[in-house]
Amino acid sequence: MSYFNDKNSAEIVNARMGAETDPRLREIMTSLVTHLHAFAREVNLTQDEWDHAIGFLTRTGQMCSDERQEFILLSDVLGFSMLVDAINNRRPDGATENTVFGPFHVANAPIRTMGDNICLDGKGESCLFEGRVLNLDDNPIEGACLDVWADNADGFYDVQQPGIQPKWNNRGRFITGADGAYSFRGIKPVSYPIPDDGPVGKMLGHLGRHPYRPAHIHYLVTAPGYQKLVTHTFVGDDEYLESDAVFGVKRSLIAPYERTEGGDTVWHSRFDFVLAPV
Ligand code: BEZ
Ligand code: FE
């Protein structure tokens, strides 16, 4: 047997794994160690640089709490969340595409009636959202649940401003009827920075990157017999559309926003969600 050196390092570490190791864990850890060691060799990582990285990861962990998940944010800004999402949500043509879930979803939002206004703080430019939930054959899906969440006109989610915004501001769940249609009132989405007061925000600064996400509204669409859809729709003329801090934009998710004449909202946006079968 040979001892550890800078060339055989990954092999030596991987050979140490026990014979009883779960096969999937073996596959993942073998590949992780191989790529991690290759990375350090490729960039000739210095001791100072590795110490700095350990400090960064430590601060990232220390920033995490029940309200703040800095590691997910790190995964998001590295494009890793979107890569894992893309690998796990390859869908047939015609099905609506997934995008990043983000940290601001809250389970069990109030069930609302079609047409309801989810904007509870009275801020922003009003917008009527409507469309249908369809299957791949263009038939309506009855009983689909459309769980919606968005930031307010100041660019904050209600959970970022407890006591300032009303609870459940810009959130709600809508259940489709036989026609698969949905409609609700909200506001035309505005762009906002992801939380950038921690180590991830600092890292973005060092990399010459801004922390903004283009204006969007989130949807989690579920229906029995169909794949769960986690997505957003984006506003087409947003200045950050091509530089989303978390790489969540897909062309097919850019929705039309039209100014309305004489209606009770300023904007109108129509978008159909197409679910793939399980
Ligand atoms: C969001 O769109 O809510 C979001 C996604 C990733 C990181 C931060 C926020
Ligand atoms: Fe968001």
Side-chain angles (χ1 to χ4, degrees), residues 157 192 213 216 218:
Y157 289 83
Y192 63 86
R213 295 220 61 207
H216 60 274
H218 294 256

Side-chain angles (χ1 to χ4, degrees), residues 44-250:
N44 266 319
L45 197 66
T46 68
Q47 190 63 52
D48 267 4
E49 287 162 346
W50 185 231
D51 292 347
H52 185 82
I54 294 282
F56 170 78
L57 292 171
T58 303
R59 288 190 296 281
T60 300
Q62 286 165 341
M63 194 83 197
C64 292
S65 66
D66 286 347
E67 287 80 40
R68 175 81 177 251
Q69 232 304 349
E70 194 76 358
F71 269 113
I72 295 184
L73 209 58
L74 178 59
S75 159
D76 293 342
V77 302
L78 293 179
F80 206 74
S81 303
M82 279 302 290
L83 174 61
V84 174
D85 187 79
I87 291 167
N88 287 281
N89 292 288
R90 294 186 178 113
R91 302 225 163 95
D93 283 353
T96 303
E97 294 188 279
N98 245 54
T99 189
V100 63
F101 191 46
F104 296 125
H105 177 256
V106 180
N108 302 318
I111 304 267
R112 304 197 191 274
T113 305
M114 292 302 174
D116 273 0
N117 191 353
I118 60 171
C119 173
L120 308 180
D121 64 1
K123 294 182 173 178
E125 291 188 303
S126 59
C127 182
L128 172 65
F129 295 87
E130 51 182 2
R132 288 172 305 157
V133 183
L134 303 168
N135 66 18
L136 285 170
D137 299 321
D138 226 22
N139 293 319
I141 300 178
E142 181 174 7
C145 175
L146 208 82
D147 190 342
V148 183
W149 68 106
D151 55 323
N152 78 347
D154 298 327
F156 295 102
Y157 289 83
D158 58 352
V159 288
Q160 293 177 287
Q161 295 190 310
I164 297 175
Q165 289 189 41
K167 197 168 161 60
W168 305 116
N169 192 26
N170 293 305
R171 295 177 190 273
R173 284 182 294 165
F174 296 87
I175 313 293
T176 58
D179 59 0
Y182 73 87
S183 71
F184 64 92
R185 284 163 174 74
I187 59 166
K188 186 177 184 225
V190 299
S191 51
Y192 63 86
I194 60 170
D196 66 344
D197 54 342
V200 170
K202 210 164 176 186
M203 182 188 83
L204 289 181
H206 287 306
L207 296 176
R209 286 175 53 181
H210 69 71
Y212 280 86
R213 295 220 61 207
H216 60 274
I217 176 165
H218 294 256
Y219 295 92
L220 165 60
V221 189
T222 49
Y226 294 91
Q227 292 175 30
K228 175 171 88 172
L229 171 65
V230 174
T231 199
H232 334 326
T233 60
F234 293 90
V235 180
D237 59 0
D238 193 281
E239 63 177 305
Y240 300 111
L241 217 49
E242 286 175 7
S243 62
D244 183 0
V246 302
F247 306 95
V249 180
K250 294 182 178 176

Side-chain angles (χ1 to χ4, degrees), residues 14-25:
N14 283 330
R16 195 68 67 81
M17 224 180 306
E20 302 299 311
T21 305
D22 172 82
R24 178 64 176 156
L25 181 61

